[in-house]
PDB file of all heavy atoms in Angstrom:
ATOM      1  N   ALA S 358      98.067  86.722  98.849  1.00 98.00           N
ATOM      2  CA  ALA S 358      99.465  86.941  99.207  1.00 98.00           C
ATOM      3  C   ALA S 358     100.327  85.760  98.799  1.00 98.00           C
ATOM      4  O   ALA S 358     101.468  85.929  98.360  1.00 98.00           O
ATOM      5  CB  ALA S 358      99.577  87.190 100.707  1.00 98.00           C
ATOM      6  N   ARG S 359      99.789  84.558  98.932  1.00 98.00           N
ATOM      7  CA  ARG S 359     100.551  83.372  98.534  1.00 98.00           C
ATOM      8  C   ARG S 359     100.856  83.431  97.030  1.00 98.00           C
ATOM      9  O   ARG S 359     101.981  83.155  96.610  1.00 98.00           O
ATOM     10  CB  ARG S 359      99.761  82.105  98.877  1.00 98.00           C
ATOM     11  CG  ARG S 359     100.456  80.824  98.415  1.00 98.00           C
ATOM     12  CD  ARG S 359      99.709  79.592  98.884  1.00 98.00           C
ATOM     13  NE  ARG S 359      99.665  79.567 100.329  1.00 98.00           N
ATOM     14  CZ  ARG S 359      98.552  79.445 101.056  1.00 98.00           C
ATOM     15  NH1 ARG S 359      97.380  79.311 100.458  1.00 98.00           N
ATOM     16  NH2 ARG S 359      98.607  79.453 102.365  1.00 98.00           N
ATOM     17  N   ALA S 360      99.859  83.802  96.254  1.00 98.00           N
ATOM     18  CA  ALA S 360     100.081  83.924  94.810  1.00 98.00           C
ATOM     19  C   ALA S 360     101.137  84.992  94.524  1.00 98.00           C
ATOM     20  O   ALA S 360     102.006  84.811  93.653  1.00 98.00           O
ATOM     21  CB  ALA S 360      98.769  84.264  94.115  1.00 98.00           C
ATOM     22  N   PHE S 361     101.077  86.077  95.274  1.00 98.00           N
ATOM     23  CA  PHE S 361     102.046  87.178  95.095  1.00 98.00           C
ATOM     24  C   PHE S 361     103.470  86.687  95.401  1.00 98.00           C
ATOM     25  O   PHE S 361     104.422  86.956  94.656  1.00 98.00           O
ATOM     26  CB  PHE S 361     101.632  88.317  96.034  1.00 98.00           C
ATOM     27  CG  PHE S 361     102.369  89.614  95.870  1.00 98.00           C
ATOM     28  CD1 PHE S 361     103.005  89.969  94.668  1.00 98.00           C
ATOM     29  CD2 PHE S 361     102.419  90.521  96.930  1.00 98.00           C
ATOM     30  CE1 PHE S 361     103.677  91.191  94.551  1.00 98.00           C
ATOM     31  CE2 PHE S 361     103.086  91.739  96.806  1.00 98.00           C
ATOM     32  CZ  PHE S 361     103.721  92.069  95.619  1.00 98.00           C
ATOM     33  N   LEU S 362     103.629  85.943  96.492  1.00 98.00           N
ATOM     34  CA  LEU S 362     104.946  85.424  96.872  1.00 98.00           C
ATOM     35  C   LEU S 362     105.494  84.472  95.821  1.00 98.00           C
ATOM     36  O   LEU S 362     106.676  84.505  95.484  1.00 98.00           O
ATOM     37  CB  LEU S 362     104.845  84.662  98.203  1.00 98.00           C
ATOM     38  CG  LEU S 362     104.647  85.492  99.465  1.00 98.00           C
ATOM     39  CD1 LEU S 362     104.235  84.588 100.623  1.00 98.00           C
ATOM     40  CD2 LEU S 362     105.935  86.243  99.809  1.00 98.00           C
ATOM     41  N   LEU S 363     104.614  83.622  95.315  1.00 98.00           N
ATOM     42  CA  LEU S 363     105.090  82.625  94.342  1.00 98.00           C
ATOM     43  C   LEU S 363     105.373  83.291  92.996  1.00 98.00           C
ATOM     44  O   LEU S 363     106.344  82.948  92.319  1.00 98.00           O
ATOM     45  CB  LEU S 363     104.084  81.476  94.226  1.00 98.00           C
ATOM     46  CG  LEU S 363     103.987  80.615  95.509  1.00 98.00           C
ATOM     47  CD1 LEU S 363     102.825  79.630  95.417  1.00 98.00           C
ATOM     48  CD2 LEU S 363     105.297  79.870  95.800  1.00 98.00           C
ATOM     49  N   TRP S 364     104.561  84.247  92.630  1.00 98.00           N
ATOM     50  CA  TRP S 364     104.850  85.006  91.405  1.00 98.00           C
ATOM     51  C   TRP S 364     106.179  85.768  91.562  1.00 98.00           C
ATOM     52  O   TRP S 364     107.044  85.744  90.675  1.00 98.00           O
ATOM     53  CB  TRP S 364     103.708  85.982  91.093  1.00 98.00           C
ATOM     54  CG  TRP S 364     103.999  86.871  89.924  1.00 98.00           C
ATOM     55  CD1 TRP S 364     104.335  86.484  88.656  1.00 98.00           C
ATOM     56  CD2 TRP S 364     104.001  88.304  89.915  1.00 98.00           C
ATOM     57  NE1 TRP S 364     104.541  87.587  87.855  1.00 98.00           N
ATOM     58  CE2 TRP S 364     104.345  88.718  88.608  1.00 98.00           C
ATOM     59  CE3 TRP S 364     103.745  89.278  90.880  1.00 98.00           C
ATOM     60  CZ2 TRP S 364     104.434  90.068  88.245  1.00 98.00           C
ATOM     61  CZ3 TRP S 364     103.825  90.619  90.524  1.00 98.00           C
ATOM     62  CH2 TRP S 364     104.165  91.007  89.214  1.00 98.00           C
ATOM     63  N   GLY S 365     106.360  86.410  92.710  1.00 98.00           N
ATOM     64  CA  GLY S 365     107.627  87.102  92.984  1.00 98.00           C
ATOM     65  C   GLY S 365     108.812  86.148  92.901  1.00 98.00           C
ATOM     66  O   GLY S 365     109.894  86.505  92.418  1.00 98.00           O
ATOM     67  N   SER S 366     108.588  84.908  93.342  1.00 98.00           N
ATOM     68  CA  SER S 366     109.664  83.918  93.294  1.00 98.00           C
ATOM     69  C   SER S 366     110.021  83.548  91.853  1.00 98.00           C
ATOM     70  O   SER S 366     111.189  83.280  91.554  1.00 98.00           O
ATOM     71  CB  SER S 366     109.255  82.656  94.066  1.00 98.00           C
ATOM     72  OG  SER S 366     109.003  82.996  95.416  1.00 98.00           O
ATOM     73  N   THR S 367     109.032  83.550  90.967  1.00 98.00           N
ATOM     74  CA  THR S 367     109.373  83.285  89.550  1.00 98.00           C
ATOM     75  C   THR S 367     110.246  84.408  89.006  1.00 98.00           C
ATOM     76  O   THR S 367     111.134  84.165  88.191  1.00 98.00           O
ATOM     77  CB  THR S 367     108.121  83.159  88.642  1.00 98.00           C
ATOM     78  OG1 THR S 367     107.443  84.425  88.578  1.00 98.00           O
ATOM     79  CG2 THR S 367     107.167  82.086  89.130  1.00 98.00           C
ATOM     80  N   LEU S 368     109.993  85.638  89.474  1.00 98.00           N
ATOM     81  CA  LEU S 368     110.828  86.757  89.011  1.00 98.00           C
ATOM     82  C   LEU S 368     112.264  86.604  89.512  1.00 98.00           C
ATOM     83  O   LEU S 368     113.220  86.875  88.791  1.00 98.00           O
ATOM     84  CB  LEU S 368     110.247  88.092  89.494  1.00 98.00           C
ATOM     85  CG  LEU S 368     108.866  88.477  88.941  1.00 98.00           C
ATOM     86  CD1 LEU S 368     108.382  89.768  89.589  1.00 98.00           C
ATOM     87  CD2 LEU S 368     108.905  88.619  87.418  1.00 98.00           C
ATOM     88  N   ILE S 369     112.394  86.147  90.751  1.00 97.00           N
ATOM     89  CA  ILE S 369     113.745  85.931  91.294  1.00 97.00           C
ATOM     90  C   ILE S 369     114.444  84.819  90.527  1.00 97.00           C
ATOM     91  O   ILE S 369     115.616  84.940  90.158  1.00 97.00           O
ATOM     92  CB  ILE S 369     113.653  85.626  92.810  1.00 97.00           C
ATOM     93  CG1 ILE S 369     113.339  86.938  93.555  1.00 97.00           C
ATOM     94  CG2 ILE S 369     114.951  85.012  93.320  1.00 97.00           C
ATOM     95  CD1 ILE S 369     113.194  86.798  95.049  1.00 97.00           C
ATOM     96  N   ASP S 370     113.740  83.747  90.268  1.00 98.00           N
ATOM     97  CA  ASP S 370     114.351  82.666  89.477  1.00 98.00           C
ATOM     98  C   ASP S 370     114.721  83.151  88.079  1.00 98.00           C
ATOM     99  O   ASP S 370     115.781  82.809  87.549  1.00 98.00           O
ATOM    100  CB  ASP S 370     113.387  81.477  89.383  1.00 98.00           C
ATOM    101  CG  ASP S 370     113.450  80.592  90.630  1.00 98.00           C
ATOM    102  OD1 ASP S 370     114.544  80.473  91.222  1.00 98.00           O
ATOM    103  OD2 ASP S 370     112.411  80.025  91.011  1.00 98.00           O
ATOM    104  N   ARG S 371     113.849  83.932  87.506  1.00 98.00           N
ATOM    105  CA  ARG S 371     114.107  84.474  86.174  1.00 98.00           C
ATOM    106  C   ARG S 371     115.356  85.385  86.194  1.00 98.00           C
ATOM    107  O   ARG S 371     116.194  85.332  85.292  1.00 98.00           O
ATOM    108  CB  ARG S 371     112.875  85.260  85.712  1.00 98.00           C
ATOM    109  CG  ARG S 371     112.730  85.495  84.242  1.00 98.00           C
ATOM    110  CD  ARG S 371     111.350  86.074  83.921  1.00 98.00           C
ATOM    111  NE  ARG S 371     110.319  85.056  83.844  1.00 98.00           N
ATOM    112  CZ  ARG S 371     110.134  84.249  82.794  1.00 98.00           C
ATOM    113  NH1 ARG S 371     110.920  84.339  81.738  1.00 98.00           N
ATOM    114  NH2 ARG S 371     109.173  83.356  82.808  1.00 98.00           N
ATOM    115  N   ALA S 372     115.445  86.185  87.254  1.00 97.00           N
ATOM    116  CA  ALA S 372     116.601  87.080  87.394  1.00 97.00           C
ATOM    117  C   ALA S 372     117.895  86.282  87.514  1.00 97.00           C
ATOM    118  O   ALA S 372     118.884  86.587  86.857  1.00 97.00           O
ATOM    119  CB  ALA S 372     116.423  87.994  88.605  1.00 97.00           C
ATOM    120  N   HIS S 373     117.857  85.226  88.324  1.00 96.00           N
ATOM    121  CA  HIS S 373     119.098  84.480  88.577  1.00 96.00           C
ATOM    122  C   HIS S 373     119.402  83.430  87.520  1.00 96.00           C
ATOM    123  O   HIS S 373     120.530  83.283  87.098  1.00 96.00           O
ATOM    124  CB  HIS S 373     119.040  83.811  89.943  1.00 96.00           C
ATOM    125  CG  HIS S 373     119.056  84.803  91.066  1.00 96.00           C
ATOM    126  ND1 HIS S 373     118.818  84.463  92.365  1.00 96.00           N
ATOM    127  CD2 HIS S 373     119.270  86.144  91.069  1.00 96.00           C
ATOM    128  CE1 HIS S 373     118.874  85.552  93.127  1.00 96.00           C
ATOM    129  NE2 HIS S 373     119.141  86.584  92.357  1.00 96.00           N
ATOM    130  N   ARG S 374     118.379  82.701  87.146  1.00 97.00           N
ATOM    131  CA  ARG S 374     118.636  81.556  86.257  1.00 97.00           C
ATOM    132  C   ARG S 374     118.671  81.972  84.787  1.00 97.00           C
ATOM    133  O   ARG S 374     119.261  81.289  83.964  1.00 97.00           O
ATOM    134  CB  ARG S 374     117.581  80.472  86.484  1.00 97.00           C
ATOM    135  CG  ARG S 374     117.672  79.908  87.901  1.00 97.00           C
ATOM    136  CD  ARG S 374     116.694  78.783  88.170  1.00 97.00           C
ATOM    137  NE  ARG S 374     117.102  78.082  89.393  1.00 97.00           N
ATOM    138  CZ  ARG S 374     117.315  76.776  89.482  1.00 97.00           C
ATOM    139  NH1 ARG S 374     117.134  75.993  88.443  1.00 97.00           N
ATOM    140  NH2 ARG S 374     117.711  76.225  90.614  1.00 97.00           N
ATOM    141  N   ASN S 375     117.996  83.074  84.467  1.00 97.00           N
ATOM    142  CA  ASN S 375     118.020  83.584  83.087  1.00 97.00           C
ATOM    143  C   ASN S 375     118.846  84.865  82.969  1.00 97.00           C
ATOM    144  O   ASN S 375     118.894  85.459  81.891  1.00 97.00           O
ATOM    145  CB  ASN S 375     116.598  83.919  82.597  1.00 97.00           C
ATOM    146  CG  ASN S 375     115.752  82.686  82.406  1.00 97.00           C
ATOM    147  OD1 ASN S 375     116.214  81.574  82.600  1.00 97.00           O
ATOM    148  ND2 ASN S 375     114.498  82.882  82.010  1.00 97.00           N
ATOM    149  N   SER S 376     119.439  85.314  84.095  1.00 97.00           N
ATOM    150  CA  SER S 376     120.140  86.607  84.105  1.00 97.00           C
ATOM    151  C   SER S 376     119.276  87.691  83.463  1.00 97.00           C
ATOM    152  O   SER S 376     119.736  88.477  82.643  1.00 97.00           O
ATOM    153  CB  SER S 376     121.487  86.516  83.375  1.00 97.00           C
ATOM    154  OG  SER S 376     122.286  85.537  83.974  1.00 97.00           O
ATOM    155  N   ASP S 377     118.028  87.701  83.867  1.00 98.00           N
ATOM    156  CA  ASP S 377     117.055  88.613  83.268  1.00 98.00           C
ATOM    157  C   ASP S 377     117.021  89.908  84.092  1.00 98.00           C
ATOM    158  O   ASP S 377     116.483  89.946  85.198  1.00 98.00           O
ATOM    159  CB  ASP S 377     115.687  87.915  83.271  1.00 98.00           C
ATOM    160  CG  ASP S 377     114.583  88.764  82.657  1.00 98.00           C
ATOM    161  OD1 ASP S 377     114.712  90.007  82.624  1.00 98.00           O
ATOM    162  OD2 ASP S 377     113.577  88.161  82.229  1.00 98.00           O
ATOM    163  N   ALA S 378     117.601  90.970  83.537  1.00 97.00           N
ATOM    164  CA  ALA S 378     117.724  92.232  84.277  1.00 97.00           C
ATOM    165  C   ALA S 378     116.359  92.884  84.512  1.00 97.00           C
ATOM    166  O   ALA S 378     116.144  93.557  85.526  1.00 97.00           O
ATOM    167  CB  ALA S 378     118.647  93.197  83.539  1.00 97.00           C
ATOM    168  N   ASP S 379     115.444  92.696  83.579  1.00 97.00           N
ATOM    169  CA  ASP S 379     114.114  93.282  83.758  1.00 97.00           C
ATOM    170  C   ASP S 379     113.377  92.615  84.921  1.00 97.00           C
ATOM    171  O   ASP S 379     112.735  93.284  85.733  1.00 97.00           O
ATOM    172  CB  ASP S 379     113.287  93.137  82.476  1.00 97.00           C
ATOM    173  CG  ASP S 379     113.783  94.079  81.389  1.00 97.00           C
ATOM    174  OD1 ASP S 379     114.502  95.059  81.732  1.00 97.00           O
ATOM    175  OD2 ASP S 379     113.493  93.830  80.212  1.00 97.00           O
TER     176      ASP S 379
END
Side-chain angles (χ1 to χ4, degrees):
Chain S
R359 177 175 299 127
F361 188 24
L362 287 166
L363 292 171
W364 175 56
S366 300
T367 66
L368 295 176
I369 286 179
D370 278 327
R371 200 170 278 282
H373 292 170
R374 296 183 165 234
N375 291 358
S376 302
D377 180 337
D379 288 342

